[in-house]
Amino acid sequence: MTSSPALRFPPTSRRNAARAAGYVLAVLFAFVAGRSAREVGADWLLAFLAGVGGFSAVTTVVRWSARLVSPRRFRV
């Protein structure tokens, strides 16, 4: 019986703060992307999709970096 990695390694406060900062940055990036799309004359749907794309781009980087720096436990 194996447990999930999240249960074996509880996140530290520094890791939680870094992840929260990443999501705040993602929301900011999504706002800037949507606003920029509206300024160049895009319709609301395209502006929304630009915002979603900006948010997902930053959250993907946050998730990958969290996975790369997370502690690992190997079984022999």
Side-chain angles (χ1 to χ4, degrees):
M1 184 177 218
T2 61
S3 61
S4 70
L7 295 176
R8 285 186 277 155
F9 302 111
T12 62
S13 60
R14 183 183 296 174
R15 193 172 299 148
N16 282 339
R19 185 171 286 179
Y23 284 122
V24 167
L25 181 68
V27 169
L28 179 66
F29 197 76
F31 175 75
V32 169
R35 182 88 173 168
S36 298
R38 289 294 287 173
E39 285 181 4
V40 296
D43 194 18
W44 67 269
L45 180 61
L46 189 58
F48 175 75
L49 291 175
V52 169
F55 182 82
S56 65
V58 176
T59 55
T60 300
V61 171
V62 169
R63 286 182 189 144
W64 285 352
S65 63
R67 185 176 170 100
L68 284 175
V69 298
S70 68
R72 311 229 186 240
R73 184 179 295 173
F74 298 103
R75 294 185 184 195
V76 180

